[in-house]
Amino acid sequence: MLELSIYYLVFTAVFAALLVGERAVRRKLGDVLLVNRGNYSRSLQNVENMAATHEDISFKVERVFTEMSLIVGISEIQLLLFDPAYELKAAEESGLVERHSPDSDLVKYFSREKGIIFRYSLIRRSPLEERIIRFMRKRSAILASPVYTEDRIIGALLLGEKQSGELFNGIDIGYIETVSLQIKQMLENDRLLKNYITRRRFEMELDIASYIQTRLFPKSAPESSRLAISFYNRPYLKVTGDYFDFIEIDKKTTAIVIGDISGHGLAAAMILSMTSSIIHSLLREKMPVEQVIEEVNYFLNNRYRGTELITLFAGIYNNATRELSYINAGHCPPAVFR
């Protein structure tokens, strides 16, 4: 009985010690996990703040990678881009970003498997997985996290091993997936901002071109032409490829010019401006209308090599003889009502 009692006492003491040790280990693990969760939460807040700044996208990506390296303890991080709509020139030059075709192996794999890829979990059961393993090994990548936007993959984060040699745990994976979402948002915000700036700049250029172009068109018909001229013009865009002009050559003769340049926008407006300048200068020198048209045709063929087309009607009215000498170069046929 004494020996049995001693066994029970020893067993109870050992069991109690194990319980106390288990609670201590759980408490310690809980404290570590709590600290890690707190660090990850603060890091995600930092990443979110970085994404909201107006700094260059390449600089923001570099800062996010630095933040991830400190928190997760990763030495190698790289962003693969499959969509050409996003511009990160500085990050590409530094090696932080690498561009690949939208038909690359990773895009094909992520179209079937939406989650994170671990290189060691690929079983080499297909040529596609074999190629992905070689691709990741070449870049010392252990993990690949997809970057999606509206169910379309635009990129992927490649991450190397932890410097501590530990495996990635659930908290790490959740953190990496959240950062991938933040990077997607950064890329989208940058693309939308650049599109907005480009559109605003284009609209400003159109406004300037429209202002310049309206000064090319006559405000009224020449008074000495003895002609009653009415006209109306409304551009399809802010600038137009339509051209009309009334040029008083001398007291007896007035030139009437109507034209149409192929296309719309700034290119058509620029050609209109040059054509107007040539016609004005040549007619002021009292050059015959057929020679004026030949000079315009020669200029356009040599400068634009036939890529831009103009139809042109040019007539010179003599108010003394009441005759109109004209050349119609492909424009709508004029109608005469008597």
Side-chain angles (χ1 to χ4, degrees):
M1 292 296 293
L2 179 61
E3 187 177 349
L4 187 61
S5 299
I6 291 173
Y7 282 142
Y8 275 126
L9 287 172
V10 171
F11 175 77
T12 303
V14 171
F15 187 73
L18 288 174
L19 286 175
V20 172
E22 181 197 16
R23 288 173 182 169
V25 169
R26 283 194 176 195
R27 191 180 303 112
K28 189 173 182 180
L29 286 174
D31 292 342
V32 171
L33 290 175
L34 187 63
V35 170
N36 284 344
R37 285 196 180 95
N39 290 337
Y40 283 136
S41 297
R42 284 190 292 273
S43 176
L44 289 175
Q45 185 64 46
N46 292 337
V47 171
E48 187 177 351
N49 292 337
M50 294 174 199
T53 63
H54 296 294
E55 295 172 332
D56 180 71
I57 182 67
S58 296
F59 179 69
K60 289 196 285 189
V61 167
E62 183 179 358
R63 289 183 61 191
V64 169
F65 285 3
T66 302
E67 182 76 15
M68 291 182 71
S69 298
L70 293 174
I71 295 299
V72 187
I74 313 167
S75 57
E76 299 289 335
I77 307 177
Q78 191 178 38
L79 174 63
L80 305 181
L81 277 182
F82 309 123
D83 194 324
Y86 306 99
E87 297 180 8
L88 292 88
K89 188 174 181 180
E92 290 179 52
E93 292 174 353
S94 63
L96 295 177
V97 174
E98 187 177 323
R99 289 199 176 273
H100 288 271
S101 167
D103 299 325
S104 66
D105 291 330
L106 276 174
V107 175
K108 295 175 183 176
Y109 186 89
F110 282 129
S111 64
R112 298 182 325 193
E113 307 289 338
K114 300 295 184 183
I116 283 178
I117 296 177
F118 283 96
R119 192 178 83 197
Y120 299 133
S121 67
L122 295 174
I123 314 174
R124 305 185 184 186
R125 58 190 176 189
S126 69
L128 176 63
E129 293 189 5
E130 285 275 2
R131 292 195 298 270
I132 292 176
I133 290 172
R134 290 196 298 269
F135 179 86
M136 295 179 69
R137 186 183 289 126
K138 184 178 180 181
R139 289 157 180 78
S140 303
I142 299 297
L143 181 150
S145 177
V147 180
Y148 287 99
T149 173
E150 297 177 357
D151 297 328
R152 180 175 59 88
I153 181 169
I154 60 173
L157 277 178
L158 290 185
L159 285 77
E161 293 185 3
K162 283 188 175 184
Q163 294 174 344
S164 61
E166 299 175 354
L167 297 176
F168 290 93
N169 56 45
I171 300 177
D172 296 332
I173 300 304
Y175 174 79
I176 292 167
E177 288 177 334
T178 306
V179 172
S180 298
L181 290 173
Q182 291 288 353
I183 289 177
K184 180 267 293 186
Q185 197 60 48
M186 281 197 309
L187 293 172
E188 277 294 290
N189 290 345
D190 183 71
R191 182 183 66 83
L192 292 173
L193 178 62
K194 286 178 178 175
N195 287 347
Y196 173 77
I197 292 173
T198 302
R199 188 170 63 252
R200 288 294 301 156
R201 185 180 294 123
F202 179 71
E203 288 176 356
M204 290 176 62
E205 290 176 354
L206 280 181
D207 289 336
I208 295 171
S210 177
Y211 172 73
I212 294 173
Q213 192 179 61
T214 53
R215 298 176 65 183
L216 295 176
F217 297 145
K219 299 296 185 293
S220 60
E223 295 181 358
S224 61
S225 64
R226 297 184 184 178
L227 292 172
I229 299 177
S230 298
F231 57 92
Y232 174 75
N233 179 57
R234 187 180 70 176
Y236 175 70
L237 298 173
K238 291 185 178 181
V239 291
T240 179
D242 298 325
Y243 172 47
F244 68 98
D245 208 347
F246 316 118
I247 306 166
E248 191 174 22
I249 299 174
D250 53 38
K251 292 182 178 181
K252 290 184 179 181
T253 52
T254 302
I256 301 172
V257 184
I258 303 174
D260 188 8
I261 300 168
S262 61
H264 304 279
L266 292 176
M270 182 175 64
I271 297 171
L272 186 155
S273 176
M274 289 188 294
T275 304
S276 175
S277 299
I278 294 171
I279 291 175
H280 263 264
S281 60
L282 296 180
L283 286 177
R284 295 289 184 186
E285 295 177 4
K286 298 185 178 181
M287 186 177 289
V289 66
E290 61 272 17
Q291 193 174 345
V292 171
I293 297 299
E294 286 179 1
E295 291 293 333
V296 171
N297 190 53
Y298 176 81
F299 170 80
L300 293 174
N301 274 286
N302 280 272
R303 178 60 60 89
Y304 296 100
R305 298 180 182 178
T307 58
E308 301 292 342
L309 303 175
I310 297 178
T311 61
L312 200 65
F313 172 88
I316 297 180
Y317 178 73
N318 188 315
N319 59 32
T321 62
R322 301 181 68 185
E323 292 177 339
L324 178 69
S325 302
Y326 68 88
I327 284 184
N328 187 24
H331 202 65
C332 302
V336 179
F337 294 91
R338 299 186 184 278

